[in-house]
Amino acid sequence: MKKKKRFIMRSIILGILVAAVAYTLYANFTKDKWEKLAIGDKAPDFVLTDLEGNQRKLSDYKGKGVFLNFWGTWCKPCEKEMPAMNRQYKVFKDQGVEILAVNVGEPEFLIKKFVDKHDLVFPIPKDTNKDVMNMYQINKLPATYLINPDGVITAYEEGELTEAKIKGMMESIKPQ
């Protein structure tokens, strides 16, 4: 009788522990869905190193509009939009608009080869471990967030952007 009570008690405790572990796993894996970034949210701050070794901290761009683009060298739509981004950057950089074109998870030599091929002049921060990509909940490349001079997200676009769309987006985050 004593062994049976002990068995029942251990089974109950084991059941409670299994339920607690299951709940913890569920809560952690679905957390992103509960905390989805939205238009009007403050953009999460980050620090990444660019190809020149400079630290790029998002909050350092306060007072400027930021065109935050996530891309990869293997991504054909990314490659198609980069020359248009480059041309528009040359137009808008003196008007208070910055591009941070975050490369996700690729070796530096591949990124440099891509940048040289397309003569890109805007900063290319490296998100080697995809931490910022995950923070911004990027699922598909290319992806672009627009951040106004106050550090607030004003738009999000997934997929290739046309030059006209890029121009309009940059115009919309230009400081007044």
Side-chain angles (χ1 to χ4, degrees), residues 17-32 34:
L17 286 173
V18 168
V21 169
Y23 174 77
T24 302
L25 290 172
Y26 172 78
N28 282 331
F29 286 119
T30 59
K31 184 164 81 172
D32 288 346
W34 295 336

Side-chain angles (χ1 to χ4, degrees), residues 37 39 66-71 77-78 81-82 85 97-102 136-147 153-162 165-167 169-170 172-173:
L37 289 176
I39 307 304
V66 177
F67 186 96
L68 180 61
N69 180 264
F70 293 85
W71 67 283
C78 300
E81 74 182 7
M82 284 289 174
M85 285 170 51
V97 176
E98 289 289 336
I99 289 180
L100 290 177
V102 178
Y136 276 81
Q137 302 160 4
I138 305 299
N139 297 314
K140 178 182 167 193
L141 297 179
T144 304
Y145 277 96
L146 294 186
I147 302 166
I153 296 169
T154 60
Y156 173 71
E157 294 282 338
E158 241 180 38
E160 182 183 340
L161 301 171
T162 64
K165 179 79 172 176
I166 293 167
K167 181 179 181 182
M169 292 169 83
M170 289 188 171
S172 76
I173 56 172

Side-chain angles (χ1 to χ4, degrees):
M1 187 72 164
K2 204 173 189 181
K3 285 184 179 183
K4 189 169 185 161
K5 282 185 182 179
R6 191 179 312 146
F7 175 76
I8 291 171
M9 190 57 90
R10 285 181 179 169
S11 297
I12 291 171
I13 292 170
L14 182 61
I16 291 169
L17 286 173
V18 168
V21 169
Y23 174 77
T24 302
L25 290 172
Y26 172 78
N28 282 331
F29 286 119
T30 59
K31 184 164 81 172
D32 288 346
K33 293 175 186 160
W34 295 336
E35 298 175 10
K36 191 83 172 144
L37 289 176
I39 307 304
D41 286 351
K42 183 145 180 62
D45 201 11
F46 61 85
V47 178
L48 292 173
T49 305
D50 68 16
L51 293 175
E52 283 74 46
N54 301 313
Q55 296 288 304
R56 298 291 177 164
K57 184 175 182 180
L58 182 63
S59 57
D60 288 346
Y61 293 89
K62 189 161 176 66
K64 295 184 174 192
V66 177
F67 186 96
L68 180 61
N69 180 264
F70 293 85
W71 67 283
T73 60
W74 51 266
C75 164
K76 290 300 176 196
C78 300
E79 187 170 11
K80 287 181 184 175
E81 74 182 7
M82 284 289 174
M85 285 170 51
N86 206 40
R87 286 189 294 274
Q88 292 306 313
Y89 177 69
K90 290 174 183 176
V91 172
F92 283 93
K93 72 178 177 177
D94 293 330
Q95 299 176 49
V97 176
E98 289 289 336
I99 289 180
L100 290 177
V102 178
N103 178 276
V104 290
E106 294 188 287
E108 193 166 317
F109 77 91
L110 279 180
I111 304 167
K112 282 184 175 181
K113 184 177 173 186
F114 184 95
V115 168
D116 291 345
K117 176 181 175 184
H118 295 285
D119 295 318
L120 302 178
V121 296
F122 47 77
I124 312 278
K126 302 171 294 180
D127 188 11
T128 309
N129 298 322
K130 301 182 181 180
D131 294 334
V132 177
M133 181 180 125
N134 291 329
M135 180 190 315
Y136 276 81
Q137 302 160 4
I138 305 299
N139 297 314
K140 178 182 167 193
L141 297 179
T144 304
Y145 277 96
L146 294 186
I147 302 166
N148 73 15
D150 296 320
V152 175
I153 296 169
T154 60
Y156 173 71
E157 294 282 338
E158 241 180 38
E160 182 183 340
L161 301 171
T162 64
E163 187 151 4
K165 179 79 172 176
I166 293 167
K167 181 179 181 182
M169 292 169 83
M170 289 188 171
E171 192 72 47
S172 76
I173 56 172
K174 197 166 66 169
Q176 298 304 321

